[in-house]
């Protein structure tokens, strides 16, 4: 039984099979997995059986971990593991409820966004609760050339302060202290991936307007790009099974949770997160090449 990497979509996402359910693999196998991750942007693992220690250890092989704050949503004793869950312990929520119900990449509204996230399904509802993923290399490549030229080298403003109530209507408003901790950020709209060098469209739901354009024009461009990016042709739908884990690259994909009846059913997931870097501006378009040219690119 050897490692296999099986594409699940025509442009991105692959399933990795033939490895231990604990993800305890040797360095040669890990190198193959890492290469598959950078070329396919998203890896799906199935039938896993990982302890929090094993989940953390595997993720750490890709780079330093990011500890999500506030710590109230992290697994007790494991600050590296964030709990994405609607399960309550008495009346205390065990995790962050309704995380990601809307297209985004993790940390896009922060100065240093998260490089990647690795979500592991522990308990699932019988219906609903799929996660959608969209390929931002493909979205960039498919943009009309005049729009590509308009956004290359430009930045857009992401605002937690202005959009918190829009995206998290069920959570308390931000306090003045939280607002100071989450100032607006201005990220490149076209992002150069630090490993592959390929250009992705980097505009998600926290984006609000465009630097150097009149406000209304920038807002309109942002809305156009947000809609363009998530057309069905760029999207893979993950239908979770218990024991699945999905590792996604936040630098070149977006994702969106789909609803389920969270008054009736439980959905309990554990997530590790990789530390990111300040997004690099793509000064020129480097479209992701065809798959047979991928190997060299990711090394
Ligand atoms: C996340 C997230 C989506 C989901 O964990 O970052 O957006 O389907 N989750 O749980
Ligand atoms: Mn998310």
């Amino acid at each position: 039984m050897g490692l296999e990497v099986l594409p699940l979509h025509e442009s991105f996402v692959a399933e990795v099979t033939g490895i231990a359910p604990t993800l305890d693999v040797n360095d040669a196998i890990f190198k193959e997995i890492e290469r598959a991750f950078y070329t396919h942007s998203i890896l799906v693992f199935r039938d896993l059986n990982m302890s929090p220690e094993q989940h953390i250890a595997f993720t750490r092989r890709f780079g330093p971990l990011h500890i999500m704050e506030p710590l109230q949503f992290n697994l007790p004793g494991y600050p590296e593991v964030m709990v994405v869950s609607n399960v309550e312990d008495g009346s205390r929520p065990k995790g962050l409820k309704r995380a990601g119900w809307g297209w985004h990449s993790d940390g896009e509204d922060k100065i240093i966004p998260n490089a990647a996230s690795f979500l592991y399904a522990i308990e699932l509802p019988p219906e609903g609760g799929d996660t959608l993923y969209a390929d931002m290399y493909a979205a960039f490549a498919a943009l009309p050339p005049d729009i590509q030229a308009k956004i290359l080298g430009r930045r857009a403003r992401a605002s937690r302060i202005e959009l918190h109530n829009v995206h998290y209507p069920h959570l308390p408003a931000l306090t003045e202290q939280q607002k100071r901790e989450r100032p607006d950020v201005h990220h490149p709209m076209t992002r150069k991936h630090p490993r592959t060098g390929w250009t992705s469209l980097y505009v998600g739901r926290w984006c609000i307007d465009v630097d150097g354009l009149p406000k209304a024009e920038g807002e309109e461009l942002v809305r156009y790009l947000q809609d363009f990016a998530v057309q069905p042709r760029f999207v893979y739908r993950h239908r979770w099974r218990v024991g699945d884990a999905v590792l996604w690259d936040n630098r070149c994909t977006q994702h969106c949770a789909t609803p389920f009846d969270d008054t009736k059913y439980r959905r309990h997931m554990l997530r590790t997160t990789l530390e990111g870097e300040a997004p690099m501006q793509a000064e020129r378009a480097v479209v992701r090449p065809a798959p047979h040219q991928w190997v060299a690119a990711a090394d």
Side-chain angles (χ1 to χ4, degrees):
M1 184 175 84
L3 175 87
E4 280 197 83
V5 177
L6 311 162
L8 296 180
H9 180 275
E10 67 193 42
S11 77
F12 73 144
V13 191
E15 180 175 345
V16 175
T17 64
I19 53 173
T22 54
L23 296 185
D24 182 10
V25 295
N26 66 31
D27 288 344
I29 298 287
F30 179 73
K31 184 106 186 103
E32 294 287 309
I33 295 173
E34 196 182 31
R35 177 181 292 151
F37 175 57
Y38 287 118
T39 51
H40 294 274
S41 307
I42 296 180
L43 296 181
V44 171
F45 302 86
R46 305 206 105 136
D47 303 312
L48 298 187
N49 187 0
M50 291 188 289
S51 64
E53 285 85 356
Q54 288 162 334
H55 190 179
I56 293 166
F58 179 74
T59 318
R60 193 167 268 149
R61 294 178 79 170
F62 290 86
L65 297 189
H66 177 79
I67 310 259
M68 293 296 291
E69 292 183 352
L71 286 174
Q72 83 196 84
F73 297 127
N74 294 355
L75 193 64
Y78 300 94
E80 304 89 344
V81 179
M82 175 188 174
V83 182
V84 174
S85 177
N86 68 327
V87 177
E88 292 191 355
D89 193 2
S91 62
R92 193 185 146 271
K94 280 193 165 189
L96 181 61
K97 223 173 140 173
R98 301 196 170 187
W101 288 28
W103 284 102
H104 66 287
S105 60
D106 296 329
E108 65 180 50
D109 61 322
K110 299 191 293 197
I111 297 167
I112 305 290
N114 309 121
S117 308
F118 190 32
L119 188 64
Y120 179 35
I122 306 292
E123 199 175 342
L124 295 168
E127 58 193 8
D130 298 346
T131 308
L132 307 177
Y133 294 92
D135 180 351
M136 293 301 106
Y137 290 137
F140 174 77
L143 279 169
D146 60 321
I147 304 284
Q148 284 187 354
K150 190 166 187 172
I151 64 174
L152 268 167
R154 248 186 218 283
R155 288 177 184 266
R157 178 171 67 106
S159 182
R160 166 69 71 164
I161 295 172
E162 287 184 41
L163 295 174
H164 174 83
N165 293 337
V166 175
H167 296 322
Y168 287 115
H170 57 291
L171 294 184
L174 294 182
T175 62
E176 290 308 312
Q177 171 67 18
Q178 285 170 322
K179 287 182 187 173
R180 279 193 293 277
E181 287 164 5
R182 305 296 291 266
D184 288 359
V185 294
H186 299 255
H187 286 315
M189 303 176 80
T190 53
R191 189 167 179 181
K192 178 180 178 180
H193 195 287
R195 292 294 290 260
T196 64
W198 303 336
T199 308
S200 62
L201 174 63
Y202 193 59
V203 173
R205 70 168 171 168
W206 296 100
C207 202
I208 191 156
D209 50 26
V210 178
D211 294 8
L213 290 185
K215 183 153 178 66
E217 186 185 343
E219 286 172 347
E220 195 186 325
L221 179 58
V222 165
R223 275 195 299 272
Y224 165 83
L225 293 168
Q226 286 166 335
D227 292 345
F228 186 93
V230 301
Q231 294 171 71
R233 61 182 159 145
F234 306 130
V235 172
Y236 162 78
R237 173 182 286 265
H238 191 71
R239 296 183 171 85
W240 293 94
R241 300 192 315 222
V242 169
D244 284 2
V246 178
L247 174 68
W248 64 81
D249 192 329
N250 287 303
R251 297 165 289 200
C252 51
T253 66
Q254 291 196 58
H255 58 280
C256 176
T258 65
F260 66 99
D261 187 345
D262 62 1
T263 60
K264 222 154 106 195
Y265 303 126
R266 291 156 62 105
R267 184 175 186 270
H268 190 69
M269 326 275 278
L270 300 178
R271 194 187 97 185
T272 49
T273 309
L274 278 157
E275 191 56 86
E277 59 278 314
M280 251 191 292
Q281 183 70 264
E283 301 290 350
R284 64 186 182 91
V286 181
V287 167
R288 177 185 50 197
H292 66 276
Q293 293 171 304
W294 282 0
V295 172
D299 282 337

